[in-house]
Amino acid sequence: MAPSNSATNRIVVAGNPNAGKTSVFNLLTGLNLKVGNYPGVTVDRHSGSLILCDETVDIEDLPGTYSLSARSAEEEIAMRALAGHPPYKQPDLVLLVIDGTQLARNLYLVLQVLELGIPCVCSLNMIDQVEKAGQNIDIEALSTALGVPVVPTAARTGQGLDQLKSAISSAIKERPVPPVPPALPSSDSSMGESLKRIGAGIPFEWHHGDLRRQAALARWALLSIDPTDELTDLPDSLRATVTQERNALQEAGEDPDLLLIGPRYAWIDEHVRDFLSDNPDTTPKESGSERLDRILLHPLLGLPLFLIVMAALFQSLFAWADPMIGSIEGLFGHFARFVQSHMSESFLREFITEGLIAGVGAVVAFLPQILLLFLFLGILESSGYMARVAWLMDRLMRSMGLTGRAFVPMLSGYACAIPAIMATRTMERRRDRLKTMMVVPLMTCSARLPVYTLIIATLFPTESWFGFSTASFLMVGMYLFGTAIALLAAAVLSKTVLQGPAVPLVLELPSYRRPEPMRILHEAWLKGRAFLSEAGTIILVSTIILWLTLSFPQRNAQVDESPAEAHAIQLEASYAGQIGRAIEPTLTPLGFDWRIGVGLIGAFAAREVFVSTLGIVHGVGDSVDEESSLLRDRLRAAQRPDGTPLYTPLVGLSLLVFFALACQCLSTLAVVRRETASWRWPTFLLAYMTVLSWVASAVVYQGGLLLGFS
Ligand code: GDP
Ligand code: MG
């Protein structure tokens, strides 16, 4: 008999990051997982089902955390899911995954979870590594001390799977509530009184009258709720009570953090020696990781190796993705032409070929870069090198208000902001992640290159100094400019919108491990699929709207017009043309006229569209690229109504600055919307980049005029 849905038992997998939760989860479920989102935040939610001998249970892989104090979105989710705060369902069993090679550190979370009083099974994972390191863990003693079953496992090889399943099976049947763990503050202190008052303010649906749960949540609240926490959905009254009690305790000279955290660590320090001993048969030798680190983190050798790895990452995004993007675009082009030749001319045909197929093509064209970046990230992350990269770059990035973990996303931003923004997920803190997302679009992405090339080649002199052309100077200058502004923006954001206490990087370097190719491929594919289904829809819809704006209202071509002329007149009469004219007054201070305005509207789909839109406006047709000499000649010949040239080097400089700073990328906004699960951050991004680009271009143009350029 299939169990009905409501009666299905629910298991959550909790543990420190890198303890092997996902590996244990995959082992138990056989990789048949579902990926969704947690409500309101965009931490991926992995769930699946576990088949035991006589029933099937739901199992969920929680984000990794070192404790339950809710500093990051991950910790908040883990806490809410464990405690069954609405909207999460109360778990029937917690499977705690412990990294046996880091026993002491992992036990902190274990103690905190046990306080909640949920039935619990521990998987003492990485047991193979423990043995290799010449250590011995007394499973009996550990299990007795904690009061819950402990099963040694090596998730990578599958060792201990059957024992783990049977421990889960019997725990689900018997639901033994674990004994109250040691290391609690005494109840008849002033701290105990404070905790009682806080406990009274904990919402009923968080504990359902369970006094032990209520007391545990009071301790959690006192530790976690402070002015810099990132908790959402917290009752205001609870926040007020905790603040009041915290202040009162501090005035009385008591440090609540010390009183709550201290005893847990003291207990661990005192007891860990009872469980853990060196195996007398093997002499502990320097581990492989330590040997590797002596090379990879070597003061002299480390840096070149780091540069080689980063160059390979960069190269793959730039050079290897390009041919794939080309073939995707070619494929969609073929498809559009196929439809074109099999349908009679109509609005529907244009909509299908130029709106729909082109729009889907634009979305799919992001896939090569996303997949390549996530394959790379997967290898870096699972081999353990990523933690070293973060560590190596942390000091430099921190001086700009970013974390070392922001380095790889920023570097990827030189190729494309879309995968770079998705890559910010490896950051632990929401604030760091937001900050990086807000500045990555300022990095010089490859879509800016055709625009830069066109403007520089058309409007600037071709002489060279010391063997370098003006063009190459300008190009390098644009890269440096974008990077400098991105770092500056990060520093400013850290002091204003996204200020908060600096949190030191957890300097725990995981041991090196051989990456698992199948798992990395699988996870990269999940990322790509999530992009297609969520950001992809927003990109598609907005591309179609933009296409309609550029092509409507339609007019009938006159007999004596060439197709290119007809196209130009059509664009001028379109909504985009009308908007271009309407916003012309705001563009005049930058040196732009309505024709450039239409180009800027077109560039919203993607910056490189600027080139083809200018092609249409200037009557050269839309199948031009930045190398077209016809387009260059037309641009140089274009005039303002008073007969002066429209495009001067000064206008060119103003345009370059505008393209460097403006957020002309609907896809970026769509992906920020998905990653932050709110409209607030994409709106902020668009607003600040628009203001920044307008002001900077106006300063360049007006300053140039004052200096006597024209
Ligand atoms: P999570 O962050 O807790 O989900 O940890 P993962 O499941 O991603 O595991 C982190 C790394 O540890 C991966 O490279 C795994 O292959 C590896 N790993 C997991 N379990 C074991 C184990 O029992 N033994 C060994 N040697 N490696 C493991
Ligand atoms: Mg995991």
Side-chain angles (χ1 to χ4, degrees):
M1 188 189 73
S4 78
N5 227 10
S6 59
T8 310
N9 282 310
R10 182 175 138 80
I11 301 182
V12 295
V13 184
N16 286 189
N18 278 314
K21 292 176 304 302
T22 305
S23 306
V24 169
F25 175 87
N26 288 346
L27 199 62
L28 287 171
T29 59
L31 261 188
N32 61 11
L33 76 171
K34 285 188 306 231
V35 183
N37 264 331
Y38 288 99
V41 281
T42 51
V43 177
D44 284 334
R45 176 177 199 162
H46 293 231
S47 51
S49 38
L50 160 63
I51 300 167
L52 297 170
C53 46
D54 48 4
E55 66 173 328
T56 303
V57 295
D58 288 338
I59 178 164
E60 182 165 335
D61 185 16
L62 294 182
T65 63
Y66 294 103
S67 77
L68 294 181
S69 39
R71 292 210 181 285
S72 64
E74 280 79 359
E75 283 167 332
E76 183 175 357
I77 289 168
M79 174 61 195
R80 286 184 191 271
L82 279 168
H85 292 185
Y88 301 97
K89 270 201 300 196
Q90 172 84 37
D92 300 289
L93 180 76
V94 182
L95 174 57
L96 269 166
V97 178
I98 302 174
D99 176 353
T101 64
Q102 312 272 357
L103 187 59
R105 176 162 58 88
N106 280 241
L107 283 177
Y108 185 83
L109 179 71
V110 174
L111 288 181
Q112 246 189 329
V113 171
L114 290 180
E115 287 178 23
L116 291 169
I118 317 162
C120 190
V121 169
C122 290
S123 145
L124 183 67
N125 197 35
M126 310 263 179
I127 202 72
D128 52 332
Q129 300 253 327
V130 175
E131 283 159 12
K132 236 198 239 157
Q135 292 191 308
N136 215 344
I137 296 181
D138 185 341
I139 312 278
E140 281 296 310
L142 184 60
S143 171
T144 313
L146 298 176
V148 294
V150 176
V151 183
T153 58
R156 200 158 181 160
T157 58
Q159 180 191 333
L161 176 65
D162 293 336
Q163 293 89 321
L164 187 61
K165 275 191 176 175
S166 66
I168 291 174
S169 241
S170 38
I172 280 207
K173 277 197 203 80
E174 293 154 21
R175 304 272 177 92
V177 175
V180 180
L184 297 182
S186 89
S187 57
D188 49 55
S189 56
S190 56
M191 173 80 138
E193 295 299 318
S194 273
L195 286 171
K196 268 184 213 134
R197 284 189 291 270
I198 294 172
I202 302 276
F204 181 80
E205 65 279 12
W206 290 12
H207 55 71
H208 298 283
D210 178 335
L211 292 181
R212 170 174 173 185
R213 170 79 53 93
Q214 189 177 6
L217 288 172
R219 288 188 292 274
W220 167 81
L222 184 55
L223 262 187
S224 305
I225 301 175
D226 69 34
T228 63
D229 70 50
E230 292 178 345
L231 289 163
T232 49
D233 293 336
L234 202 65
D236 285 339
S237 58
L238 179 60
R239 188 177 282 282
T241 314
V242 171
T243 313
Q244 198 183 340
E245 295 298 337
R246 180 175 267 277
N247 289 343
L249 282 170
Q250 269 160 355
E251 264 163 42
E254 298 203 65
D255 181 345
D257 294 350
L258 215 64
L259 289 171
L260 287 172
I261 299 173
R264 292 184 188 137
Y265 276 121
W267 184 88
I268 294 171
D269 279 347
E270 195 186 321
H271 288 82
V272 78
R273 260 166 276 125
D274 304 345
F275 319 133
L276 195 63
S277 57
D278 287 332
N279 193 336
D281 298 341
T282 54
T283 41
K285 50 182 180 338
E286 188 186 37
S287 72
S289 281
E290 281 162 11
R291 254 176 292 148
L292 253 179
D293 266 343
R294 277 221 313 251
I295 302 169
L296 293 175
L297 297 181
H298 187 274
L300 289 178
L301 280 177
L303 196 64
L305 285 168
F306 167 76
L307 290 178
I308 291 172
V309 174
M310 291 299 122
L313 170 97
F314 197 61
Q315 175 73 9
S316 76
L317 287 183
F318 242 108
W320 302 348
D322 239 24
M324 289 189 250
I325 297 173
S327 359
I328 290 176
E329 284 170 349
L331 206 68
F332 278 87
H334 276 304
F335 186 44
R337 277 191 294 282
F338 175 80
V339 174
Q340 184 115 29
S341 59
H342 283 77
M343 279 179 78
S344 55
E345 192 179 340
S346 64
F347 163 69
L348 189 64
R349 184 179 84 175
E350 274 182 48
F351 175 75
I352 293 178
T353 55
E354 289 173 27
L356 207 57
I357 298 181
V360 174
V363 172
V364 178
F366 283 114
L367 269 191
Q369 282 179 331
I370 291 177
L371 294 180
L372 275 173
L373 180 61
F374 278 98
L375 286 181
F376 235 102
L377 286 182
I379 296 170
L380 288 181
E381 198 72 62
S382 66
S383 64
Y385 191 61
M386 189 65 144
R388 273 90 181 163
V389 172
W391 184 77
L392 282 168
M393 298 314 294
D394 198 55
R395 183 124 50 100
L396 189 69
M397 301 300 282
R398 191 163 294 278
S399 63
M400 292 292 153
L402 293 164
T403 102
R405 289 223 158 235
F407 183 77
V408 168
M410 297 282 278
L411 186 72
S412 319
Y414 283 121
C416 177
I418 309 302
I421 286 171
M422 294 174 69
T424 58
R425 285 210 176 182
T426 55
M427 287 177 218
E428 275 161 30
R429 290 184 55 93
R430 203 179 71 102
R431 213 176 272 133
D432 289 334
R433 192 187 293 172
L434 281 173
K435 218 182 285 171
T436 314
M437 276 191 230
M438 293 298 113
V439 302
V440 155
L442 286 166
M443 305 298 276
T444 307
C445 68
S446 52
R448 285 173 170 101
L449 292 183
V451 179
Y452 288 176
T453 308
L454 176 71
I455 298 173
I456 292 174
T458 310
L459 301 176
F460 290 92
T462 46
E463 74 239 34
S464 56
W465 295 301
F466 311 111
F468 294 101
S469 63
T470 320
S472 50
F473 270 116
L474 275 169
M475 203 53 120
V476 172
M478 292 313 294
Y479 269 94
L480 293 178
F481 179 65
T483 312
I485 298 289
L487 294 177
L488 205 67
V492 172
L493 287 174
S494 313
K495 297 250 158 26
T496 53
V497 188
L498 288 167
Q499 63 178 326
V503 179
L505 196 72
V506 179
L507 274 187
E508 189 104 39
L509 297 181
S511 11
Y512 287 104
R513 297 201 171 90
R514 196 164 26 84
E516 299 159 278
M518 282 323 286
R519 184 169 151 191
I520 292 173
L521 283 171
H522 184 71
E523 283 174 5
W525 165 239
L526 292 179
K527 288 284 188 305
R529 207 176 58 181
F531 166 79
L532 286 184
S533 66
E534 293 170 47
T537 10
I538 309 182
I539 298 175
L540 178 61
V541 170
S542 40
T543 315
I544 290 177
I545 293 176
L546 198 69
W547 172 76
L548 291 171
T549 317
L550 287 161
S551 337
F552 282 83
Q554 298 234 308
R555 60 181 276 284
N556 294 323
Q558 312 292 309
V559 260
D560 53 345
E561 287 169 352
S562 74
E565 278 167 0
H567 211 154
I569 301 171
Q570 163 68 49
L571 182 60
E572 185 178 349
S574 71
Y575 295 117
Q578 294 169 24
I579 299 172
R581 282 198 189 279
I583 61 170
E584 191 171 33
T586 67
L587 298 178
T588 315
L590 318 184
F592 307 160
D593 77 339
W594 71 270
R595 284 168 284 187
I596 300 182
V598 178
L600 295 181
I601 296 171
F604 246 104
R607 292 179 175 89
E608 67 271 22
V609 174
F610 184 69
V611 177
S612 57
T613 319
L614 278 193
I616 302 174
V617 182
H618 292 284
V620 203
D622 63 354
S623 50
V624 287
D625 63 17
E626 66 277 13
E627 309 290 345
S628 154
S629 57
L630 184 58
L631 176 60
R632 288 179 188 180
D633 291 340
R634 286 286 176 92
L635 293 184
R636 290 191 197 109
Q639 293 180 339
R640 295 182 190 272
D642 62 5
T644 56
L646 170 57
Y647 297 95
T648 62
L650 183 58
V651 171
L653 202 58
S654 171
L655 258 180
L656 285 179
V657 168
F658 192 86
F659 266 91
L661 304 179
C663 183
Q664 293 161 304
C665 184
L666 283 170
S667 313
T668 298
L669 295 172
V671 100
V672 170
R673 146 79 209 162
R674 163 171 139 82
E675 292 299 313
T676 60
S678 89
W679 286 106
R680 195 168 132 214
W681 290 104
T683 312
F684 173 76
L685 181 67
L686 179 63
Y688 107 82
M689 286 182 75
T690 306
V691 171
L692 185 65
S693 57
W694 192 91
V695 170
S697 284
V699 166
V700 166
Y701 187 67
Q702 299 299 329
L705 288 182
L706 280 181
L707 293 175
F709 297 94
S710 59

